[in-house]
Amino acid sequence: MFEHFFMHMLPKKVSENGVRFKPTLYLGAMLVMLFMFLSVSGLLLLFYYTPERSQAFASILFLEEKVFLGSFFRSFHRMSSHIFLIVLSAHMLRVIFSGAYKVRTYSWRLGLFIFTLIIFEAYAGYLLPMDQLSWWAAKTGLELMKSLPIGGILESILAPDGIGSRLTLTRYFALHIVVIPMFLIVLVSVHMFAVRRQGLSIEGMKVSSDKLKSRLIILFVVMFMSVIILSIFIGAPLTLEADPTTPPNPAKSAWFLLWLQEIVSWRTWYINFVMLVYITMFFLPELSRRKSGFGWFSFDDRPVWISVLLMVIIILVLTIIAMFFRGADWSFGLYFS
Amino acid sequence: MAGDIGEDEMISRRNLLRSLIAAPFLFLTGKYLFPPSEAKGVLVEVESDKIPEGGAMVFHDENIILVRADEEVIAFSLECTHLGCTVALNGEEFACPCHGSKFASDGSVIQGPATRSLDRYVTKITNNKIQVIESKKDV
């Protein structure tokens, strides 16, 4: 019964295009698998983590140094989350570049909402180890949020007594391990249900799902092994215990927010451009004049995919600048550390 | 057709009713999420002669620096006026490690992205003691 329950996530018959690699690149399936990795490793970390400001860092240190496989599971969780964010971006780009966003507008908008929640999820998790790196990344991230139009209200709900203080740590913890994941599970289920209900954005002949099943199992094994190997070789960093009085210089946010930090370091209100682009994304299906259905980089949708491609390049360049070319007091130079 | 429109209206009326019922619950839960703030009154108290002429004293936990210049003691907030990072005294100026703002020793902006001088707290001197009051000065 157990096995049947999980195997019935897939219908008996699926579109042949769901089996083929090229239309979807299997990115959505990869995200589901990574979500499983994150849930399981997260649950394991819960056995040792203490969400209390004077104990949090010590509990991570204990996990890292004393617990069998402790540092591995922490590294596995971190690595899964990094890969999750990268695959998530790839999934969104796939949906834009293949025109699926125009065919399945409901899934596109719901997906964007899920994307936003996941960014929050990743950000909230950053604070939990309470070392210098995480404290200041959470701090600069909160400052980014504050620069948004409703940032003040968000700040007083998320961090009423400031980053790392009693209430704030409790809230980040609750958000990271229960509140956001709970919403994610519901919303992602709807997101996946929409695919079953409406079909893929590219219709095709119905074939048995057996082939897809075996391919997904192979994909699962490959993903699992790659994350294990990466987490063995690239450990999760742990710096000194958080010290709110001495910021590291420069103080940098989480890597996926660095491009935003770079933008607000020019002028705070530039962040409104980013918000504008974000809101535009919700109306992308209406703004696009695409006539053709599914198809990679289709000619009549050039304005959309060229501007999105440009946006990706800009984000990458800004991230690289903030990561490698910003030193003490955020001065510009060559800083490979 | 007419039936369809009626149905739509029914649905929107039902939705309106639902939102009206949900609103007070959401409002009350929303209020629950904002904890009461603790008023502190006096943030820092220090003997006046502990701060030498041209010198400064930093209170890390409160994010306050007391600077003596021309007989007068000024209490600056170390919170950057750009986005709230903690600025550090670096020789004669304050520098922000998050976005690179710089402030002069009198709190004025030397380099952006900050556009506003560092905040000053109200101070009170009684019996050779300086108290920093939890209210910001208009400069």
Side-chain angles (χ1 to χ4, degrees):
Chain A
M1 195 57 87
F2 218 70
E3 205 177 312
H4 282 229
F5 174 75
F6 285 105
M7 276 313 176
H8 276 84
M9 277 170 76
L10 285 179
K12 270 210 155 60
K13 296 240 174 213
V14 291
S15 155
E16 58 177 349
N17 287 310
V19 184
R20 283 168 58 217
F21 174 69
K22 209 186 146 198
T24 63
L25 311 181
Y26 296 159
L27 292 165
M30 282 162 84
L31 287 173
V32 173
M33 292 168 190
L34 286 162
F35 190 84
M36 288 180 196
F37 298 171
L38 283 164
S39 309
V40 173
S41 55
L43 283 176
L44 289 171
L45 294 177
L46 269 182
F47 281 78
Y48 285 98
Y49 180 70
T50 315
E52 202 275 322
R53 64 183 155 164
S54 60
Q55 298 292 317
F57 179 76
S59 72
I60 296 290
L61 204 61
F62 179 76
L63 174 83
E64 281 278 327
E65 290 180 348
K66 302 272 163 62
V67 179
F68 176 69
L69 286 184
S71 66
F72 168 75
F73 281 123
R74 197 168 87 87
S75 171
F76 183 87
H77 192 69
R78 170 178 175 269
M79 195 49 72
S80 305
S81 108
H82 287 359
I83 298 172
F84 191 92
L85 290 175
I86 294 166
V87 178
L88 178 64
S89 318
H91 180 59
M92 284 175 76
L93 291 178
R94 179 303 268 181
V95 168
I96 295 174
F97 293 153
S98 67
Y101 72 96
K102 179 90 181 171
V103 190
R104 296 280 174 255
T105 50
Y106 181 82
S107 297
W108 166 250
R109 270 191 270 270
L110 180 61
L112 262 181
F113 190 69
I114 293 172
F115 167 79
T116 316
L117 276 182
I118 288 170
I119 298 295
F120 265 101
E121 171 72 1
Y123 163 71
Y126 233 87
L127 173 67
L128 302 186
M130 287 287 278
D131 66 339
Q132 274 289 70
L133 188 74
S134 70
W135 200 98
W136 288 95
K139 172 91 176 160
T140 46
L142 184 70
E143 286 159 4
L144 275 176
M145 219 184 299
K146 244 174 20 185
S147 62
L148 297 175
I150 51 156
I153 301 170
L154 275 178
E155 190 207 7
S156 47
I157 293 180
L158 291 175
D161 51 358
I163 286 294
S165 295
R166 192 175 59 88
L167 284 176
T168 307
L169 182 58
T170 309
R171 286 177 183 208
Y172 274 56
F173 177 67
L175 285 169
H176 184 72
I177 69 150
V178 188
V179 184
I180 304 176
M182 207 173 62
F183 277 109
L184 280 178
I185 289 173
V186 175
L187 296 178
V188 169
S189 304
V190 178
H191 193 69
M192 286 163 73
F193 179 68
V195 179
R196 267 184 87 158
R197 213 43 192 297
Q198 306 177 314
L200 287 175
S201 47
I202 169 173
E203 284 305 326
M205 239 181 25
K206 290 277 183 190
V207 292
S208 155
S209 62
D210 288 346
K211 194 173 173 191
L212 181 60
K213 252 177 228 171
S214 50
R215 281 192 178 184
L216 288 181
I217 290 168
I218 294 169
L219 182 65
F220 184 89
V221 174
V222 171
M223 293 282 295
F224 191 52
M225 293 315 286
S226 333
V227 179
I228 287 180
I229 290 166
L230 280 171
S231 351
I232 290 173
F233 287 106
I234 307 168
L238 190 66
T239 53
L240 294 172
E241 182 162 11
D243 180 1
T245 64
T246 18
N249 197 351
K252 292 187 180 180
S253 358
W255 62 270
F256 50 91
L257 298 176
L258 274 178
W259 61 283
L260 289 169
Q261 190 178 5
E262 179 62 32
I263 290 176
V264 294
S265 81
W266 305 335
R267 290 272 186 287
T268 320
W269 55 270
Y270 285 179
I271 192 129
N272 293 319
F273 289 123
V274 180
M275 279 314 282
L276 210 65
V277 172
Y278 172 74
I279 292 166
T280 310
M281 290 306 244
F282 275 91
F283 300 101
L284 202 58
E286 283 73 24
L287 290 168
S288 154
R289 285 206 228 119
R290 186 186 181 101
K291 292 267 185 331
S292 54
F294 188 95
W296 285 91
F297 301 104
S298 95
F299 188 76
D300 60 354
D301 209 19
R302 272 172 311 163
V304 168
W305 63 257
I306 288 177
S307 33
V308 170
L309 207 57
L310 256 167
M311 199 172 77
V312 173
I313 292 168
I314 291 172
I315 290 173
L316 285 177
V317 168
L318 289 178
T319 305
I320 289 167
I321 290 176
M323 210 179 262
F324 299 115
F325 295 90
R326 290 298 185 181
D329 298 335
W330 207 251
S331 57
F332 189 81
L334 252 182
Y335 302 94
F336 293 103
S337 58
Chain B
M1 279 303 279
D4 283 347
I5 293 164
E7 212 164 85
D8 280 352
E9 268 175 12
M10 279 279 281
I11 289 166
S12 70
R13 199 176 295 167
R14 190 186 295 163
N15 279 343
L16 181 70
L17 200 65
R18 273 187 197 155
S19 335
L20 281 178
I21 294 169
F25 288 99
L26 282 176
F27 175 74
L28 293 174
T29 317
K31 270 201 80 117
Y32 165 81
L33 291 175
F34 293 88
S37 60
E38 298 165 40
K40 287 194 193 102
V42 177
L43 295 172
V44 165
E45 192 180 68
V46 67
E47 277 167 38
S48 176
D49 48 16
K50 281 205 173 148
I51 307 164
E53 174 61 37
M57 198 174 210
V58 181
F59 299 86
H60 282 304
D61 291 339
E62 292 80 11
N63 247 352
I64 289 172
I65 187 167
L66 293 179
V67 182
R68 186 188 289 279
D70 306 328
E71 292 295 298
E72 192 198 6
V73 175
I74 306 170
F76 287 113
S77 161
L78 286 175
E79 194 172 280
C80 181
T81 55
H82 172 226
L83 286 174
C85 226
T86 309
V87 297
L89 190 59
N90 190 352
E92 285 287 286
E93 58 184 34
F94 298 99
C96 169
C98 296
H99 309 99
S101 297
K102 287 196 171 115
F103 303 88
S105 56
D106 66 347
S108 58
V109 179
I110 300 176
Q111 183 189 307
T115 51
R116 191 159 55 81
S117 302
L118 287 176
D119 286 326
R120 293 177 186 201
Y121 285 101
V122 176
T123 51
K124 218 162 72 179
I125 303 178
T126 38
N127 302 334
N128 202 29
K129 270 193 177 152
I130 301 174
Q131 287 185 326
V132 178
I133 313 292
E134 194 186 13
S135 74
K136 301 242 167 101
K137 234 181 192 172
D138 295 320
V139 184

